[in-house]
Amino acid sequence: MDSTTKLQLLETMLRIRKAELQLAIMYKNGKVPCAAHLYEGEEAIAAGVCANLRRDDCITSTHRGHGHCIAKGLPMREMIAEVSARKTGCCGGKGGTMHLFKPEVGVMGTVGIVGGGIPLSTGLGLAMKMRKTDRVAVSFFGDGAANNGSFHESINLAALWKLPVLYVCENNMYATSVAVWRSTPVENIGVRGAGYGIPGVTVDGNRVDEVYAAAEEAVARARAGLGPTLLECKTYRIRGHFEGDDAFYRTKEEVAEARKRDPIDYWKGILLAEGALTEEAFAEMDAKTDAEVADAAAFAEASPFPDPEDALRLTATA
């Protein structure tokens, strides 16, 4: 990994973190008129995977999908405006936080239904193969979705037809309030790949270098026509399932321990130690990101809400 990529990974994680913290404030102030499922603590997964993708590659995501969309190239202004239900959002304010789309950059939808994006990425992979391209589809989903039928049926087909799909399980240890050990009999969800004859890899999802390396290999495999990979990234959901969730089902000590493994702090420390980053350069990056997020929030707040007749229009703007 070259120095430019290393710094880009840090900047992507920082942009995701700052955007999520801004949305948390906006939610508390009544500026987000729907549920908000935030991604704090999981930024290394979106950053590490999407850094290996081209603009014409596609992703599908989940109800917790802001980070994936930012990493794939959805403009910050359009993302925050959409979450704020404003007309200038990527879907004209009609999709909201759980239904973000931007096909121009390969964001083929965040999906509110658990496991709902997995078959969509499988279909995208089939289309890519039928058109004889070397494009790749990525499906992000959580540990809870890994127990759904859509997960098993999709991977079975993708393995059988050698589709160019990367299945990324973000195991953040909780499906709403259900701990993974209460719902899943295997210690590592990645081992399920073996049941379908495809690589199944488990990495530390808080270590962006591990995620990047595993995704790089899986994407190269998919582009070469060798079929899908199941990549499990073990991480932790720092915030509640949604904003306002008091997360009574876990202890404060557990969350505090998880915060010690912050992915941004880890990667910043690595780059400082290597000499690829200085504290001054990080301060500049931090200030630049703050300005971008503040601009996007101001843009969203100044934007109009959709007109009533927009509900009858097929697209966001026409």
Side-chain angles (χ1 to χ4, degrees):
M1 195 190 308
D2 58 38
S3 296
T4 299
T5 301
K6 291 177 180 180
L7 292 170
Q8 286 175 343
L9 289 173
L10 180 62
E11 185 172 15
T12 298
M13 289 192 288
L14 199 61
R15 292 177 69 233
I16 295 170
R17 173 71 58 85
K18 299 278 189 176
E20 295 291 66
L21 295 179
Q22 176 64 46
L23 288 175
I25 294 171
M26 293 172 69
Y27 180 84
K28 290 177 181 177
N29 292 336
K31 304 295 184 181
V32 177
C34 53
H37 305 79
L38 303 185
Y39 197 61
E40 182 182 0
E42 304 180 39
E43 298 89 353
I45 305 172
V49 171
C50 290
N52 286 285
L53 302 180
R54 302 191 311 233
R55 184 182 176 90
D56 64 341
D57 293 326
C58 296
I59 68 167
T60 64
S61 182
T62 70
H63 54 276
R64 200 178 310 281
H66 309 146
H68 309 134
C69 294
I70 290 172
K72 190 60 178 71
L74 177 62
M76 188 78 72
R77 279 186 165 194
E78 291 187 34
M79 190 276 285
I80 292 184
E82 186 61 39
V83 174
S84 304
R86 303 299 177 127
K87 195 168 184 174
T88 53
C90 59
C91 297
K94 296 191 289 185
T97 179
M98 289 189 278
H99 302 94
L100 300 167
F101 286 80
K102 187 72 173 179
E104 297 90 335
V105 298
V107 174
M108 301 306 290
T110 60
V111 182
I113 299 172
V114 173
I118 305 176
L120 299 182
S121 280
T122 305
L124 288 165
L126 177 59
M128 292 166 178
K129 181 169 184 176
M130 291 177 69
R131 292 178 177 178
K132 302 186 187 309
T133 73
D134 68 343
R135 298 166 67 191
V136 173
V138 176
S139 177
F140 292 98
F141 54 91
D143 46 283
N147 294 325
N148 285 13
S150 59
F151 167 86
H152 296 280
E153 293 172 36
S154 294
I155 291 184
N156 183 68
L157 276 180
L160 183 65
W161 294 339
K162 289 185 166 46
L163 302 184
V165 186
L166 171 55
Y167 296 97
V168 182
C169 177
E170 299 183 309
N171 184 354
N172 64 19
M173 304 301 159
Y174 287 94
T176 309
S177 60
V178 180
V180 66
W181 61 269
R182 292 184 179 274
S183 64
T184 306
V186 292
E187 182 178 354
N188 295 321
I189 291 171
V191 302
R192 290 179 171 174
Y196 298 101
I198 66 171
V201 183
T202 296
V203 300
D204 186 338
N206 284 30
R207 302 295 185 249
V208 71
D209 46 349
E210 288 191 30
V211 177
Y212 180 90
E216 182 180 37
E217 183 174 346
V219 169
R221 170 184 164 82
R223 291 204 201 284
L226 299 177
T229 298
L230 171 61
L231 172 60
E232 177 192 13
C233 300
K234 290 196 172 184
T235 182
Y236 191 84
R237 194 191 71 211
I238 294 294
R239 308 183 80 87
H241 173 61
F242 54 87
E243 290 302 282
D245 174 17
D246 62 7
F248 64 90
Y249 42 84
R250 60 188 188 183
T251 66
K252 292 181 180 179
E253 291 75 17
E254 178 181 317
V255 177
E257 191 63 29
R259 284 191 179 278
K260 295 177 183 178
R261 300 182 58 255
D262 184 277
I264 296 176
D265 290 345
Y266 162 77
W267 194 235
K268 176 188 173 185
I270 293 290
L271 298 190
L272 287 171
E274 289 182 350
L277 178 72
T278 65
E279 288 289 359
E280 292 77 15
F282 179 77
E284 290 181 11
M285 184 186 294
D286 195 50
K288 175 186 172 184
T289 305
D290 281 340
E292 180 190 18
V293 172
D295 169 76
F299 172 78
E301 191 162 350
S303 298
F305 289 102
D307 298 317
E309 56 267 28
D310 288 342
L312 304 177
R313 293 174 176 155
L314 294 178
T315 65
T317 57

